[in-house]
Every structure is written in structure tokens, then in C-alpha cells.
Amino acid sequence: MTRIGRNLGFDGRSFLTQAEWETYRRRKPVRYIRKNQGMCELCGLPETPDNPLQHAHIISFDTGVIELAHTAEYLEQDANIRTAHRNGCNQDAELDLCDSMIRLHTTGLRELPEFLPSHFHELWSRLDSEVVTGTQNHP
């Protein structure tokens, strides 16, 4: 029996379609991270037997997939992953929703999918105006 490749990916898209988003809101996707660092990128210390290193998402899967409809591929890029200790550092690596949206602006994304709730679009518009005026206030 031959194995058929089923992981077709998202063709480099940053965002899910509405149908994909609704599916992933029911169950988060499996993650495949390739980045490997020998030290914690937050505190600079090596792992210990009681506090191993893990991959930490800067924009978390809850924020990225469930809230903002990002593809798993987008969130698994090396630029969105930090190596961090399981206890303490891992949670410190993660941005909240507003800071995640600010980070997305710094990567050049300028539009959100239309199907996202209106309050995300309102926040995004405020961030757009801050980029134009050069202010960086936390909304």
C-alpha cells in the first residue's frame, strides 16, 4: 500500500478561508515546527531536567488561528517561533491579541479577512492610522 501525501498546505497564504477558519475554531490544527535552538531565547539559559525547552509561538495558535484566522503554516514560520523553557519563559514569549496585531503590521500584512468580526477590523483600522501618523499607542 502506498502512502498518499495529504498535507497539501495553504499555498503560502497568510490567512485561512472562512470555511477553514470555522473548522479550526472547532479543533486546532496539528503543529509541525522545524526550528531548533539549544538555549532559551528569552532568558538565555539551557534546559534543565525539570524545565525543558519547548517551541513557543510569538503569535499563539489561539490568537493566530482561532481569533485572526491565520494558517498553521503562517504561524509555524521561524520568525514566529522562539525556543523557551516550558515553565515561565514559554508564556512570556506569547503576545496578546493587540500586540499580535501590531506585530502583523510590522511584517507588512495590511488587510484582515472580511469574515472576521467587526471589532477586529476596527482595531486594525486604528493600527493602520497609527502606522500612517507614526504613533505607536497600544489601543
Side-chain angles (χ1 to χ4, degrees):
M1 177 188 235
T2 60
R3 188 173 179 117
I4 298 172
R6 295 182 187 178
N7 187 357
L8 301 177
F10 296 95
D11 299 320
R13 289 184 284 132
S14 297
F15 291 102
L16 299 166
T17 65
Q18 185 171 359
E20 291 167 339
W21 180 57
E22 289 170 356
T23 298
Y24 283 138
R25 291 181 77 196
R26 291 181 187 93
R27 185 180 187 285
K28 289 191 280 186
V30 175
R31 303 168 220 182
Y32 300 98
I33 301 169
R34 293 163 191 65
K35 183 177 182 180
N36 188 9
Q37 297 286 343
M39 304 288 253
C40 177
E41 293 180 64
L42 278 80
C43 72
L45 298 174
E47 69 181 346
T48 62
D50 59 336
N51 199 7
L53 295 174
Q54 293 182 328
H55 297 296
H57 290 84
I58 297 169
I59 298 175
S60 71
F61 263 67
D62 285 343
T63 298
V65 173
I66 306 302
E67 300 289 339
L68 297 174
H70 277 292
T71 64
E73 287 174 349
Y74 182 82
L75 295 174
E76 290 171 356
Q77 295 177 63
D78 284 349
N80 191 52
I81 304 294
R82 289 185 181 165
T83 301
H85 287 103
R86 180 179 61 202
N87 299 317
C89 298
N90 193 306
Q91 288 183 341
D92 292 342
E94 211 172 278
L95 298 176
D96 64 17
L97 175 63
C98 186
D99 286 333
S100 293
M101 291 179 82
I102 291 169
R103 182 176 174 85
L104 293 174
H105 265 277
T106 67
T107 65
L109 288 176
R110 293 292 178 251
E111 293 183 24
L112 293 177
E114 291 182 21
F115 56 81
L116 289 179
S118 62
H119 63 277
F120 291 125
H121 289 279
E122 291 166 10
L123 177 57
W124 195 256
S125 294
R126 290 190 356 227
L127 292 173
D128 275 338
S129 66
E130 289 178 4
V131 169
V132 170
T133 62
T135 61
Q136 286 292 318
N137 295 324
H138 198 284

